[in-house]
Amino acid sequence: MPFYLAMINSSDQRPSARAGALAEDLRSLVGKLKRRLREQAGPEDLTPSQVSILLRLEKDGPATVSSLARSEKMRPQSMSTAVAALLAAGLVSGAPDPDDGRQTILSLTKACREWIRVGRAARQDWLSRTISARLSSREQDELAAAVSLLKRLVDD
Protein backbone atom coordinates (compact mmCIF):
# COMPACT_ATOMS: atom_id res chain seq x y z
CA MET A 1 0.00 0.00 0.00
CA PRO A 2 1.45 3.41 -0.86
CA PHE A 3 2.61 5.53 2.06
CA TYR A 4 0.01 8.27 1.55
CA LEU A 5 -2.86 5.72 1.58
CA ALA A 6 -1.54 4.16 4.77
CA MET A 7 -1.49 7.63 6.36
CA ILE A 8 -5.10 8.30 5.30
CA ASN A 9 -6.26 4.91 6.63
CA SER A 10 -4.44 5.33 9.94
CA SER A 11 -5.98 8.77 10.50
CA ASP A 12 -9.46 7.27 10.00
CA GLN A 13 -8.85 5.10 13.07
CA ARG A 14 -8.94 7.93 15.58
CA PRO A 15 -9.99 6.87 19.06
CA SER A 16 -13.63 7.44 19.92
CA ALA A 17 -14.59 9.99 22.55
CA ARG A 18 -15.37 7.07 24.87
CA ALA A 19 -11.90 5.54 24.32
CA GLY A 20 -10.32 8.95 24.98
CA ALA A 21 -12.26 9.36 28.23
CA LEU A 22 -11.35 5.80 29.30
CA ALA A 23 -7.69 6.47 28.52
CA GLU A 24 -7.72 9.64 30.61
CA ASP A 25 -9.44 7.92 33.55
CA LEU A 26 -7.13 4.92 33.33
CA ARG A 27 -3.97 7.04 33.19
CA SER A 28 -5.11 9.04 36.22
CA LEU A 29 -6.15 5.93 38.14
CA VAL A 30 -2.88 4.10 37.44
CA GLY A 31 -0.94 7.13 38.68
CA LYS A 32 -2.97 7.22 41.90
CA LEU A 33 -2.57 3.45 42.39
CA LYS A 34 1.21 3.76 41.93
CA ARG A 35 1.35 6.50 44.57
CA ARG A 36 -0.73 4.44 47.02
CA LEU A 37 1.48 1.38 46.44
CA ARG A 38 4.63 3.47 46.97
CA GLU A 39 3.23 4.67 50.32
CA GLN A 40 2.92 1.06 51.52
CA ALA A 41 6.63 0.35 51.32
CA GLY A 42 7.46 3.06 53.83
CA PRO A 43 9.45 6.24 53.34
CA GLU A 44 11.69 6.22 50.32
CA ASP A 45 14.62 8.57 49.94
CA LEU A 46 15.43 7.44 46.41
CA THR A 47 14.78 9.47 43.29
CA PRO A 48 12.76 7.95 40.45
CA SER A 49 16.02 7.63 38.47
CA GLN A 50 17.68 5.71 41.29
CA VAL A 51 14.70 3.35 41.60
CA SER A 52 14.80 2.83 37.83
CA ILE A 53 18.51 1.96 38.01
CA LEU A 54 17.91 -0.60 40.77
CA LEU A 55 15.06 -2.19 38.83
CA ARG A 56 17.23 -2.31 35.69
CA LEU A 57 20.02 -4.07 37.60
CA GLU A 58 17.50 -6.48 39.09
CA LYS A 59 15.97 -7.27 35.71
CA ASP A 60 19.07 -7.29 33.48
CA GLY A 61 21.80 -8.18 35.96
CA PRO A 62 25.18 -6.51 36.61
CA ALA A 63 26.14 -3.61 34.34
CA THR A 64 28.60 -0.77 33.89
CA VAL A 65 27.72 2.89 34.38
CA SER A 66 27.95 3.43 30.60
CA SER A 67 25.61 0.56 29.78
CA LEU A 68 23.15 1.72 32.45
CA ALA A 69 23.29 5.26 31.04
CA ARG A 70 22.48 3.94 27.55
CA SER A 71 19.67 1.72 28.85
CA GLU A 72 18.13 4.50 30.93
CA LYS A 73 18.77 7.18 28.28
CA MET A 74 20.77 9.30 30.70
CA ARG A 75 24.03 11.16 30.32
CA PRO A 76 26.96 9.16 31.78
CA GLN A 77 27.73 12.03 34.20
CA SER A 78 24.13 11.98 35.54
CA MET A 79 24.26 8.19 35.81
CA SER A 80 27.56 8.41 37.75
CA THR A 81 25.97 10.81 40.25
CA ALA A 82 22.91 8.56 40.73
CA VAL A 83 25.09 5.45 41.08
CA ALA A 84 27.37 7.18 43.62
CA ALA A 85 24.35 7.77 45.87
CA LEU A 86 23.31 4.11 45.50
CA LEU A 87 26.84 2.96 46.35
CA ALA A 88 26.89 5.25 49.42
CA ALA A 89 23.51 3.86 50.53
CA GLY A 90 24.86 0.30 50.25
CA LEU A 91 22.27 -0.68 47.62
CA VAL A 92 24.78 -1.45 44.87
CA SER A 93 28.35 -2.64 44.88
CA GLY A 94 31.06 -2.40 42.27
CA ALA A 95 33.75 -4.77 41.09
CA PRO A 96 36.41 -4.30 38.40
CA ASP A 97 35.35 -5.38 34.91
CA PRO A 98 37.52 -8.40 34.06
CA ASP A 99 37.51 -7.38 30.37
CA ASP A 100 38.25 -3.67 30.92
CA GLY A 101 39.94 -2.66 34.16
CA ARG A 102 38.89 0.96 33.62
CA GLN A 103 35.22 -0.01 34.02
CA THR A 104 33.32 -1.11 37.13
CA ILE A 105 30.59 -3.72 37.05
CA LEU A 106 27.71 -2.71 39.32
CA SER A 107 25.34 -5.16 40.95
CA LEU A 108 22.67 -5.13 43.64
CA THR A 109 23.77 -5.87 47.18
CA LYS A 110 22.09 -8.52 49.28
CA ALA A 111 20.62 -5.73 51.42
CA CYS A 112 19.11 -4.13 48.32
CA ARG A 113 17.56 -7.39 47.15
CA GLU A 114 15.99 -7.80 50.60
CA TRP A 115 14.76 -4.17 50.56
CA ILE A 116 13.12 -4.77 47.15
CA ARG A 117 11.55 -8.04 48.37
CA VAL A 118 10.16 -6.49 51.56
CA GLY A 119 8.81 -3.46 49.69
CA ARG A 120 7.07 -5.63 47.11
CA ALA A 121 5.60 -7.85 49.82
CA ALA A 122 4.21 -4.79 51.65
CA ARG A 123 2.62 -3.44 48.47
CA GLN A 124 1.21 -6.87 47.56
CA ASP A 125 -0.20 -7.32 51.06
CA TRP A 126 -1.87 -3.88 51.05
CA LEU A 127 -3.41 -4.43 47.63
CA SER A 128 -4.64 -7.95 48.49
CA ARG A 129 -6.20 -6.77 51.76
CA THR A 130 -7.80 -3.76 50.08
CA ILE A 131 -9.29 -5.86 47.29
CA SER A 132 -10.68 -8.35 49.83
CA ALA A 133 -12.07 -5.63 52.10
CA ARG A 134 -13.60 -3.31 49.50
CA LEU A 135 -14.76 -5.57 46.68
CA SER A 136 -17.42 -8.26 46.73
CA SER A 137 -16.74 -11.63 45.17
CA ARG A 138 -18.60 -10.52 42.01
CA GLU A 139 -16.60 -7.28 41.87
CA GLN A 140 -13.38 -9.27 42.26
CA ASP A 141 -14.46 -11.32 39.22
CA GLU A 142 -15.05 -8.07 37.32
CA LEU A 143 -11.64 -6.81 38.40
CA ALA A 144 -10.04 -10.04 37.16
CA ALA A 145 -11.71 -9.51 33.77
CA ALA A 146 -10.51 -5.90 33.69
CA VAL A 147 -6.95 -6.97 34.56
CA SER A 148 -7.08 -9.42 31.66
CA LEU A 149 -8.11 -6.59 29.32
CA LEU A 150 -5.37 -4.34 30.67
CA LYS A 151 -2.80 -7.05 30.00
CA ARG A 152 -3.97 -7.10 26.38
CA LEU A 153 -3.33 -3.35 26.18
CA VAL A 154 0.30 -3.63 27.26
CA ASP A 155 1.39 -7.01 25.91
CA ASP A 156 3.23 -6.86 22.62
Side-chain angles (χ1 to χ4, degrees):
M1 173 182 291
F3 173 74
Y4 63 90
L5 287 178
M7 291 300 293
I8 291 169
N9 287 341
S10 70
S11 66
D12 289 342
Q13 297 176 1
R14 289 189 188 105
S16 68
R18 182 175 184 211
L22 281 169
E24 183 177 342
D25 287 348
L26 184 58
R27 182 191 48 76
S28 175
L29 182 62
V30 167
K32 187 174 181 179
L33 180 60
K34 283 176 65 173
R35 284 187 296 280
R36 291 293 303 270
L37 287 170
R38 248 182 286 162
E39 292 168 2
Q40 302 312 308
E44 208 172 282
D45 293 334
L46 301 178
T47 66
S49 293
Q50 291 168 334
V51 170
S52 184
I53 293 164
L54 294 176
L55 294 177
R56 172 80 56 185
L57 288 170
E58 181 191 32
K59 179 182 175 231
D60 297 341
T64 63
V65 168
S66 344
S67 65
L68 283 171
R70 278 191 303 278
S71 297
E72 294 295 311
K73 296 174 179 40
M74 290 175 71
R75 291 188 343 254
Q77 297 84 354
S78 300
M79 181 57 70
S80 293
T81 302
V83 165
L86 294 172
L87 285 163
L91 298 172
V92 297
S93 60
D97 184 337
D99 299 327
D100 181 353
R102 300 168 295 166
Q103 297 267 2
T104 299
I105 302 286
L106 301 166
S107 57
L108 299 179
T109 62
K110 187 175 182 179
C112 181
R113 289 184 187 285
E114 180 64 9
W115 177 74
I116 290 170
R117 187 193 66 72
V118 167
R120 280 189 183 139
R123 292 186 293 274
Q124 176 73 24
D125 180 60
W126 173 82
L127 191 53
S128 297
R129 284 185 291 107
T130 303
I131 289 169
S132 292
R134 295 187 182 178
L135 300 180
S136 68
S137 179
R138 190 183 113 267
E139 289 171 323
Q140 289 180 38
D141 291 342
E142 291 174 17
L143 181 59
V147 167
S148 178
L149 292 174
L150 291 170
K151 285 179 182 178
R152 281 183 35 205
L153 290 178
V154 298
D155 287 345
D156 293 335

